Amino acid sequence: MAHAVNGVVAAGRGAKVSVETILVPDPGPGEALVKVQACGVCHTDLHYREGGINDEFPFLLGHEAAGVVEAVGDGVVDLEPGDFVILNWRAVCGSCRSCLRGRPQYCFNTHNASQPMTLADGTPLSPALGIGAFAEKTLVHSGQCTKVNPKAPAEVAGLLGCGVMAGIGAAINTGGVTRGDSVAVLGCGGVGDAAIAGARLAGARTIIAVDLDHTKLEWAQRFGATHTVNAREQDVVEAIRALTDGNGADVVIDAVGRPETFQQAFYARDHAGIAVLVGVPTPDMKLELPLIDVFSRGGAVKSSWYGDCLPSRDFPMLIDLHLQGRLDLGAFVSETIGLGDVEKAFEDMHHGRVLRSVVVL
């Protein structure tokens, strides 16, 4: 039986999104039907709408979500109706070469639901990141559901499904920030502020926030930034060096994802320091660096995909830290909205007026 629910659909490149009736099938083998309670509005959803991911329109948007399992299909043994879950887009396969080498956080064969969700006329929808959670219900692979403590509000728990996890993971998992380190974060939106929060959790001594916007720099201080640099007013590399005894930071995280910001991250790190790219570039962007500088400065240049997270390990731990008062996930939520407000939320996000708008169903 198909469930007729409301969902936010992007019909074509650059077109405004609309709320449509969509049909969600009952779960088949290995699948789970989830009643969505909340879903954050992420830049990736806007990239889908703009055709920046692929052109497999129409898209059912939304992926940064939490909700309750309503039904499971045959063969699902680790979930049952009533479980409170965060949805993830890294449902590890367990059998690819990364998984078999004990590195499931790099799994490249992750699972999605087999059955399509459709428009009322039967047109198949492409769910964003295999999830499609700007909807009252969605169908996912059971491995995309990570059980966490149900005491956490859905509007904050769901943020771990993408942006907040990406930022925290870029600091802790990819950058390996540890106690006493100096860290600089370029770009203080949701992902950048999450990287700042992650650096603080890891015990960083100096945390430098860099942005073009004074308001965002003020936000960054709430998450643990010890120093701020306005990139409109100061040379970023020189300012970071000045705040780190002239050496550069141990870890520099680029949460913007542009060639010029990544060059700043590369040169603002200490010798043998780590530069981490977590901001998402567009396909046309090119990076040019003197190879001698790559050789002579040592250290590492890394990309961080989903914060190199393992949802089954990281989500429950971070929710527990939130419930203990050690990680304020609620500080990322600028506003709660309805399904019909997603287009305006995209505009607010584009203009930097919010950290996260969260759809509450």
Side-chain angles (χ1 to χ4, degrees):
M1 181 183 73
H3 303 257
V5 301
N6 291 319
V8 176
V9 174
R13 186 185 299 268
K16 290 185 177 182
V17 301
S18 59
V19 178
E20 306 288 344
T21 298
I22 65 170
L23 302 179
V24 183
D26 276 331
E31 296 175 339
L33 178 68
V34 176
K35 180 176 176 57
V36 179
Q37 295 180 325
C39 184
V41 181
C42 177
H43 275 90
T44 303
D45 293 305
L46 183 57
H47 289 325
Y48 271 107
R49 193 199 73 172
E50 297 301 306
I53 306 295
N54 58 53
D55 59 357
E56 296 173 4
F57 292 95
F59 291 111
L60 174 59
L61 299 181
H63 60 279
E64 194 178 75
V68 174
V69 174
E70 192 165 282
V72 297
D74 290 344
V76 178
V77 297
D78 54 352
L79 288 176
E80 60 184 22
D83 284 341
F84 179 61
V85 297
I86 299 173
L87 301 183
N88 75 78
W89 43 274
R90 178 167 283 160
V92 300
C93 72
S95 58
C96 70
R97 62 182 181 273
S98 290
C99 288
L100 292 177
R101 295 177 68 190
R103 301 172 182 173
Q105 67 270 30
Y106 302 127
C107 177
F108 58 85
N109 192 28
T110 58
H111 296 303
N112 294 317
S114 298
Q115 300 180 88
M117 294 179 279
T118 69
L119 293 172
D121 64 3
T123 302
L125 292 162
S126 299
L129 289 174
I131 292 176
F134 284 154
E136 293 162 332
K137 297 180 183 180
T138 191
L139 184 73
V140 295
H141 190 279
S142 63
Q144 293 178 277
C145 298
T146 304
K147 290 190 287 187
V148 297
N149 193 324
K151 292 180 180 179
E155 59 267 28
V156 300
L159 299 182
L160 293 179
C162 190
V164 171
M165 184 68 255
I168 292 175
I172 295 176
N173 296 333
T174 314
V177 176
T178 190
R179 58 189 181 278
D181 276 353
S182 57
V183 179
V185 178
L186 281 55
C188 298
V191 174
D193 283 345
I196 289 168
R200 179 171 66 175
L201 272 176
R205 176 170 54 96
T206 302
I207 305 174
I208 304 163
V210 181
D211 204 284
L212 299 166
D213 187 302
H214 278 298
T215 300
K216 288 187 176 181
L217 292 173
E218 290 175 3
W219 292 349
Q221 290 176 301
R222 298 202 318 247
F223 291 96
T226 60
H227 302 78
T228 62
V229 173
N230 190 308
R232 292 189 190 279
E233 301 170 356
Q234 297 175 266
D235 180 281
V236 170
V237 175
E238 292 304 317
I240 291 172
R241 287 179 178 168
L243 292 168
T244 53
D245 299 323
N247 301 317
D250 297 306
V251 180
V252 184
I253 298 167
D254 176 9
V256 180
R258 295 187 57 84
E260 56 269 32
T261 54
F262 193 73
Q263 282 192 345
Q264 290 171 335
F266 179 83
Y267 287 110
R269 66 198 173 105
D270 198 355
H271 287 293
I274 298 172
V276 176
L277 175 65
V278 66
V280 182
T282 58
D284 59 304
M285 291 179 178
K286 307 290 184 184
L287 177 67
E288 190 170 312
L289 287 171
L291 194 57
I292 188 62
D293 288 352
V294 177
F295 172 78
S296 62
R297 295 183 65 83
V301 173
K302 297 184 174 183
S303 63
S304 184
W305 190 58
Y306 205 4
D308 288 338
C309 80
L310 186 59
S312 60
R313 176 196 64 196
D314 294 338
F315 288 5
M317 177 266 293
L318 293 172
I319 288 295
D320 285 348
L321 290 177
H322 170 71
L323 293 173
Q324 294 163 11
R326 298 164 63 190
L327 173 63
D328 186 5
L329 294 174
F332 290 95
V333 181
S334 301
E335 61 177 358
T336 56
I337 61 174
L339 283 174
D341 302 318
V342 169
E343 185 66 38
K344 181 180 182 300
F346 282 150
E347 181 181 349
D348 288 342
M349 179 176 60
H350 177 71
H351 290 289
R353 293 192 285 260
V354 294
L355 273 179
R356 266 301 184 268
S357 301
V358 179
V359 175
V360 176
L361 295 101

